Amino acid sequence: MKVFKKLKIILLITIILFYIFTKTPLYYQVRSYVVMYFFSNYEKQNSLLTKENIEIKIPGGLSTSKKDWYPFVLFFNDDVGFSRYMKKNLSLTILYNFGAFDTIEGSSNYYNPQSDYYSSFYGSYIVKNNGDDKPFAFTLNNEPILNEIIAVPKYDLNYLVLQSLGCEESKIKIEYSIDNIKNNELYAGYGGWTIIDAVIKTNSPIHKFIEKKRAYIQYGKPMKKYVVKNDFCEIELKGRIVAKYFKKWGVTIFLYVMAPDNKTVNECDENILSKTVIKKQL
C-alpha cells in the first residue's frame, strides 16, 4: 500500500509539473520539435523521394554557428492538392525550413518583423509528371517554363502556409517580379540549372491569435508584441529559386529561399542551400 501511495504522489507531482511546463514559452518550442520530427519522418517515408529512390540532403539550422533556422529540414507531401491546382496528374514533395524559435517568446522568428528570418523559408520542391513523359516546368529542349516554375512556390505560400495560419484566400496576395534569370548554371554538383531571382509581394504572417491552428504546432503562436491592426498585411520579400529537370530520373527539382532582404537570401544560398546533396540511391 505504501508503494502504491508513493506512485500516486509521484504521478500527481508529474502531472502538476507538466501542467506548469505547458504554460511556459519553452513548451511550444519543445512541442514543435517533437511533433514535427515524427510527422516529418512519416511524410518522408511516403514522399516522392522515397518512391523514386532519390536522396536530397539539405543542411538544417544546426549546420551553422548562429541561431538562424529551425534545427532540421521538414518533409511534406501534397500530390492531390497540387494536381488539382495545376490541373495535371502530379506528385509533389516539399522540403522546408523556417526561422529558429525565440525561446523567450515560444515562437519562431518567422513571425518576428525585427528578425532577418521574418516570413522566411528555404528548402526544395520535387515534382513528377505522372500523366505523361513531358517534364514539369521545362520544355523538351530544356527551356524553363516560367509560369510553371512560379506556380510551385505560389501554391505553397497560398494553400499550405498562409491559409494554414487562418488567412482567408480572398485576402491572399502573391505577386512575383523577376529581377534576373541565369540558365545552364552549375549548382549542387550538377550543371544545367536555371536560377531565378525575384521580388515577392505577399502577406505577412503577423495576425491576432483567435483560435488554435495546426500551423501553430510547428511555428508556435503569433508574437503578441508584433500584432498589428491589419492581420496578414502586405510585405515584400526577396526570393531565389534554382530549378532543373533530371531527365534520367523523370523529376524536376527546385531549391529555393525567400527572406526579407538579399543579404539573408545570399547567406542561406552560400552557407546552406548550395551545399545540398542530391543523388540517386542504388
Side-chain angles (χ1 to χ4, degrees), residues 31-225:
R31 181 182 69 173
S32 175
Y33 293 166
V34 173
V35 174
M36 295 311 299
Y37 175 81
F38 287 104
F39 179 75
S40 178
N41 272 278
Y42 171 79
E43 291 290 296
K44 182 179 180 180
Q45 294 304 313
N46 294 281
S47 70
L48 180 58
L49 295 178
T50 299
K51 294 173 183 176
E52 298 294 330
N53 293 317
I54 299 170
E55 184 176 22
I56 297 181
K57 285 187 177 180
I58 307 177
L62 296 177
S63 66
T64 63
S65 59
K66 61 180 181 178
K67 190 175 182 181
D68 44 14
W69 301 96
Y70 198 75
F72 47 93
V73 174
L74 301 167
F75 281 73
F76 186 74
N77 305 304
D78 191 6
D79 301 350
V80 175
F82 189 58
S83 293
R84 187 184 302 118
Y85 178 74
M86 295 300 298
K87 298 179 181 179
K88 294 183 178 182
N89 183 7
L90 304 169
S91 293
L92 170 66
T93 288
I94 301 172
L95 282 67
Y96 68 101
N97 203 340
F98 49 88
F101 264 73
D102 182 321
T103 303
I104 295 176
E105 292 288 337
S107 299
S108 165
N109 279 318
Y110 169 66
Y111 293 120
N112 183 357
Q114 305 301 316
S115 170
D116 291 338
Y117 309 98
Y118 171 53
S119 197
S120 299
F121 288 98
Y122 76 82
S124 177
Y125 302 116
I126 305 91
V127 182
K128 180 179 177 64
N129 186 351
N130 302 311
D132 51 47
D133 294 331
K134 292 181 181 179
F136 178 81
F138 287 87
T139 67
L140 294 174
N141 295 324
N142 204 37
E143 296 174 350
I145 304 172
L146 293 181
N147 66 320
E148 290 194 353
I149 291 176
I150 297 300
V152 190
K154 283 186 72 172
Y155 173 79
D156 186 15
L157 273 176
N158 186 334
Y159 293 95
L160 304 182
V161 178
L162 291 169
Q163 289 193 47
S164 73
L165 291 169
C167 185
E168 295 179 3
E169 186 172 7
S170 60
K171 189 176 183 178
I172 292 175
K173 176 180 180 178
I174 304 173
E175 295 180 355
Y176 288 79
S177 59
I178 296 175
D179 281 345
N180 188 42
I181 300 177
K182 293 186 287 187
N183 293 309
N184 297 316
E185 293 292 307
L186 178 66
Y187 199 90
Y190 295 90
W193 293 88
T194 294
I195 302 178
I196 300 172
D197 285 332
V199 176
I200 307 161
K201 293 183 179 180
T202 186
N203 302 78
S204 158
I206 296 177
H207 64 285
K208 294 183 291 294
F209 172 82
I210 299 176
E211 59 183 37
K212 292 181 180 180
K213 301 291 183 182
R214 284 190 298 175
Y216 294 165
I217 294 175
Q218 57 183 329
Y219 308 123
K221 294 180 180 179
M223 295 182 176
K224 290 182 180 179
K225 62 182 178 181

